[in-house]
Amino acid sequence: MTAQTYLAYDYPLLSAFWTMLVFFLWIMWFVLLFRIITDIFRDDRLSGWAKAGWLAFCVLLPFLGVFVYVIARGRNMGRREIAQARDQQREFDTYIKQTAGGGTSSVDELAKLSEIRAHGDITDEEFRRAKELVLTGNAPAGHSGPASHASGR
């Protein structure tokens, strides 16, 4: 019998399952360790020395440090993660609103032009020129009013 064939007979299926179980438990422990390290740095209520102490404890005595951290501070880990996700979503929504709502549309510009003309601040000729600029898309984005654009020639 060759060495490979002998290994197949010597290593039964149940042992392969136990090996896979131990391997996946080891991976799950690493995931937990990295989540705990992330939680240590995420927590704003911990002082710098407390963060350094927990980090040293989790790195120097990994199994004991992880288990003690989960027992002592595990209850609020999920809350801190949810709070951080909400803050990120809020910042993202704010960014999207600022980016999408930054410029004015041509309809808004035309409404402003009509209002300025109705007040008598610009003439019909200035209104016509400013309207052409808005419709062709040459109007500067976010300018305060068409009167300054039309009279600046």
Side-chain angles (χ1 to χ4, degrees):
M1 238 192 256
T2 64
Q4 290 178 346
T5 307
Y6 183 70
L7 180 63
Y9 286 114
D10 194 33
Y11 203 68
L13 186 61
L14 186 60
S15 293
F17 286 138
W18 277 111
T19 301
M20 288 190 316
L21 177 68
V22 169
F23 178 72
F24 286 118
L25 286 175
W26 184 253
I27 289 175
M28 286 175 39
W29 181 83
F30 270 114
V31 168
L32 182 61
L33 176 67
F34 290 129
R35 286 193 63 183
I36 286 174
I37 290 172
T38 303
D39 187 62
I40 290 171
F41 286 110
R42 178 184 296 144
D43 193 4
D44 291 335
R45 286 183 264 157
L46 281 178
S47 69
W49 288 107
K51 288 180 183 184
W54 276 114
L55 188 62
F57 190 38
C58 287
V59 169
L60 297 177
L61 298 170
F63 290 109
L64 183 63
V66 165
F67 294 134
V68 169
Y69 188 87
V70 168
I71 291 169
R73 307 196 71 228
R75 175 177 291 176
N76 293 326
M77 282 177 64
R79 292 181 187 142
R80 284 187 289 272
E81 190 170 340
I82 289 171
Q84 188 226 7
R86 284 183 181 151
D87 289 342
Q88 283 181 339
Q89 184 66 39
R90 192 177 310 118
E91 289 175 8
F92 179 73
D93 291 343
T94 303
Y95 172 75
I96 293 296
K97 286 177 185 176
Q98 288 175 352
T99 303
T104 57
S105 68
S106 59
V107 175
D108 294 335
E109 290 288 330
L110 290 173
K112 288 178 187 177
L113 279 172
S114 296
E115 184 179 328
I116 291 172
R117 183 179 67 171
H119 287 289
D121 293 337
I122 60 172
T123 65
D124 288 338
E125 178 61 28
E126 290 173 330
F127 173 77
R128 187 188 57 77
R129 281 186 284 175
K131 183 173 125 181
E132 287 176 9
L133 287 173
V134 168
L135 293 177
T136 59
N138 293 332
H143 65 77
S144 59
S148 63
H149 183 69
S151 61
R153 289 186 147 200

